[in-house]
Amino acid sequence: MTTSAQGLHSHVLATLGLAITAGEYPPGTVLRTDELAQGFDVSRTVVREVVRVLESMHLVESRRRVGVTVLPTESWNVYDPQVIRWRLAGADRPRQLRSLTVLRSAVEPVAAGLAALHATPAQCRELTEQALGMVATSRGRQLEAYLVHDIAFHRVVLNASGNEMFARLGDVVAEVLTGRTHHHVMFEDPDPAAVTLHVQVAEAVRERDAVRAEALTREIAVGALKELDVLAP
Amino acid sequence: MTTSAQGLHSHVLATLGLAITAGEYPPGTVLRTDELAQGFDVSRTVVREVVRVLESMHLVESRRRVGVTVLPTESWNVYDPQVIRWRLAGADRPRQLRSLTVLRSAVEPVAAGLAALHATPAQCRELTEQALGMVATSRGRQLEAYLVHDIAFHRVVLNASGNEMFARLGDVVAEVLTGRTHHHVMFEDPDPAAVTLHVQVAEAVRERDAVRAEALTREIAVGALKELDVLAP
DNA sequence: GGGAATTAAAAGTACTACTTTTATGTCACA
DNA sequence: TGTGACATAAAAGTAGTACTTTTAATTCCC
């Protein structure tokens, strides 16, 4: 069983959420609470609580005398980390990775600029450290170790921006980077140019050079976009 | 009563969600299901369903033998439209408006650039129309009418970008613009420079000039940021 | 053929009984 | 006196049932 299930609720939620985001139930499909309860062999209580959660994610809509209707993609809360995880686990993972990468390319440069203004000395240190870690692991097929530093690096930048909305994208970035590493056929070491750019971003932030930090991060983003355009048609 | 309440669930959810996001229950506060049920004079069933939803927003965490614990701000799903609405209605509205505006300033320029590449003829037309509407209502204290066009304009840009994540920020932008208009003391007409910029963005998109569309939108964003720096200390 | 009244299906709500987890306090033993 | 195993009870989790409310759809009357 792949769906982490400590508790009936979690299990049903994960299963249903995954199925819906995977497009298993096309929009407009109506599910009946009692049928779901029977299908999962749980009480109606459990199903109702699950439906309420799915409703809050705008994946479904529950109406009396009708049932639980699956909503079209456009109404989904696509920023909900849970929804993101489900979608990344499902069929349209490539599409999802692309739109998230575009989001990154918009947000991260601005975040880096702000980080240059707001980063604490500790954050500057952490940033440099992670960048050096990236350099150290950038050769010789140490992709997993590299990934850890890469994620940590971007997390620090987002946090140091001082903007709550940016900071909360740390998980998204982590998912994207992980997805990329694990789907890239894992043959090649990371692009040396990208590694250098990260080091330079750390430098720029340390020197409080917002403009440079933003520009450099934009270059990183462009690289990520290019890479993706190659991957997907 | 200000909390829209068709159904017990909605009522309890709105009340509790608002209270928590307003910081009425400091992080770490534990609420007991039965007490809530008594307090709201509803069944435990209703409270449980509400708690499950709040849990999915990471506003609270429910643990056996402990109760429902209010989580710190850092864990909240700050991108959940519902959470955003609650917070905008609460005490830290100014802070919230600022962080959302920064997010806009990062996203919208990129979205505009993409819109220039992907916008359909219909979207181009719509964009021009809204921009002209802004011009028409930009003088003589027609702030409400202006706001409608402004919101529509930005929504079209975000939709036309073709990126799902951007498109879903339409509501956020609408909230921010509305909040701004309604809190600006409503004396002055909109900045003529901003109006002109919108017209030019529509032009650039129509002419498929991505670079120009992005640059112009960035100017609009800078304006919005400046305005906010004046508003809040 | 159209509109009003009826019906029934499904979700919403309530209540009650029971299970499971687990924080905390107790007691025995070293 | 401190420490670890054990017992206790508190609170959430689950189940089942009975009832209410809404409302789509059918029927029936004009």
Side-chain angles (χ1 to χ4, degrees):
Chain A
M1 188 180 308
T2 164
T3 55
S4 74
Q6 11 80 298
L8 299 183
H9 177 85
S10 317
H11 173 241
V12 175
L13 180 62
T15 310
L16 255 184
L18 205 54
I20 292 173
T21 53
E24 227 158 285
Y25 305 101
T29 309
V30 291
L31 311 164
R32 250 83 98 291
T33 328
D34 341 1
E35 286 186 15
L36 289 173
Q38 281 195 315
F40 283 104
D41 193 39
V42 295
S43 72
R44 221 176 58 121
T45 312
V46 171
V47 172
R48 289 196 90 284
E49 289 174 10
V50 168
V51 167
R52 278 261 133 94
V53 171
L54 293 174
E55 217 175 353
S56 87
M57 296 169 173
H58 289 90
L59 294 186
V60 302
E61 185 192 41
S62 176
R63 286 173 57 203
R64 272 174 155 137
R65 169 68 216 237
V66 175
V68 178
T69 315
V70 177
L71 295 175
T73 320
E74 303 91 58
S75 26
W76 298 355
N77 269 191
V78 288
Y79 283 91
D80 190 309
Q82 186 62 92
V83 173
I84 292 177
R85 241 168 284 134
W86 285 333
R87 300 186 75 188
L88 283 174
D92 61 13
R93 177 198 186 84
R95 223 176 80 68
Q96 181 71 357
L97 274 180
R98 284 165 68 96
S99 51
L100 290 178
T101 302
V102 172
L103 178 65
R104 277 189 63 198
S105 78
V107 164
E108 292 203 270
V110 176
L114 288 174
L117 301 178
H118 301 323
T120 65
Q123 286 171 324
C124 290
R125 236 175 296 127
E126 173 78 8
L127 210 57
T128 309
E129 211 167 290
Q130 296 301 339
L132 292 181
M134 290 177 71
V135 173
T137 55
S138 65
R139 296 166 61 91
R141 224 85 359 129
Q142 310 178 56
L143 269 71
E144 284 301 330
Y146 179 84
L147 176 62
V148 171
H149 291 296
D150 199 3
I151 289 177
F153 181 93
H154 288 276
R155 253 190 220 286
V156 174
V157 170
L158 290 169
N159 286 329
S161 75
N163 185 297
E164 188 182 33
M165 303 304 285
F166 289 169
R168 280 298 275 170
L169 288 176
D171 291 340
V172 171
V173 171
E175 295 280 4
V176 172
L177 292 176
T178 306
R180 194 209 6 204
T181 301
H182 291 174
H183 269 58
H184 240 343
V185 222
M186 290 277 229
F187 276 175
E188 301 174 17
D189 284 337
D191 177 14
V195 179
T196 310
L197 281 170
H198 281 78
V199 174
Q200 291 176 312
V201 168
E203 247 174 53
V205 169
R206 204 173 40 220
E207 294 166 3
R208 319 259 99 156
D209 188 341
V211 175
R212 184 148 171 268
E214 177 168 346
L216 288 166
T217 307
R218 212 170 285 284
E219 278 192 62
I220 296 179
V222 169
L225 286 172
K226 269 191 192 147
E227 197 176 276
L228 221 60
D229 285 337
V230 176
L231 278 176
Chain B
M1 188 179 310
T2 164
T3 54
S4 73
Q6 10 83 297
L8 299 183
H9 177 86
S10 316
H11 173 240
V12 176
L13 181 62
T15 310
L16 253 184
L18 205 54
I20 293 173
T21 53
E24 227 159 286
Y25 304 101
T29 308
V30 292
L31 311 165
R32 248 86 96 279
T33 326
D34 338 3
E35 285 186 15
L36 290 173
Q38 282 194 315
F40 283 104
D41 193 38
V42 295
S43 72
R44 219 171 58 109
T45 313
V46 171
V47 172
R48 286 190 85 328
E49 288 175 9
V50 167
V51 167
R52 279 259 133 96
V53 171
L54 293 175
E55 217 175 353
S56 88
M57 296 168 173
H58 290 90
L59 295 187
V60 302
E61 185 191 42
S62 176
R63 287 173 58 203
R64 271 172 156 139
R65 170 67 218 238
V66 174
V68 177
T69 314
V70 177
L71 294 175
T73 320
E74 302 89 60
S75 26
W76 297 356
N77 269 190
V78 288
Y79 283 91
D80 189 309
Q82 186 63 94
V83 173
I84 291 177
R85 242 168 284 133
W86 286 333
R87 299 185 75 188
L88 282 176
D92 60 14
R93 178 200 186 84
R95 223 176 81 67
Q96 182 71 358
L97 275 179
R98 284 164 69 94
S99 51
L100 290 177
T101 303
V102 172
L103 177 66
R104 277 188 62 197
S105 78
V107 165
E108 292 203 271
V110 176
L114 288 173
L117 300 177
H118 301 323
T120 66
Q123 287 171 324
C124 290
R125 235 175 296 126
E126 173 78 7
L127 211 55
T128 309
E129 212 166 290
Q130 297 301 340
L132 292 181
M134 290 177 71
V135 173
T137 54
S138 64
R139 295 168 61 91
R141 222 89 353 132
Q142 309 179 54
L143 269 73
E144 283 302 329
Y146 178 85
L147 176 62
V148 172
H149 291 296
D150 198 4
I151 289 176
F153 181 93
H154 288 276
R155 254 191 220 286
V156 174
V157 171
L158 289 169
N159 286 329
S161 74
N163 184 298
E164 189 182 34
M165 304 303 286
F166 290 169
R168 280 299 274 169
L169 289 177
D171 291 339
V172 172
V173 171
E175 296 279 4
V176 172
L177 292 176
T178 305
R180 203 225 339 223
T181 301
H182 290 176
H183 270 56
H184 239 343
V185 222
M186 288 274 227
F187 276 173
E188 302 174 16
D189 284 339
D191 177 14
V195 179
T196 309
L197 282 169
H198 281 80
V199 174
Q200 291 176 312
V201 168
E203 248 174 52
V205 169
R206 204 174 39 221
E207 293 166 4
R208 317 261 99 155
D209 187 341
V211 175
R212 184 148 168 268
E214 177 167 345
L216 289 166
T217 306
R218 213 170 284 283
E219 278 192 61
I220 296 180
V222 169
L225 286 173
K226 270 191 194 148
E227 197 176 276
L228 222 60
D229 284 338
V230 176
L231 277 177

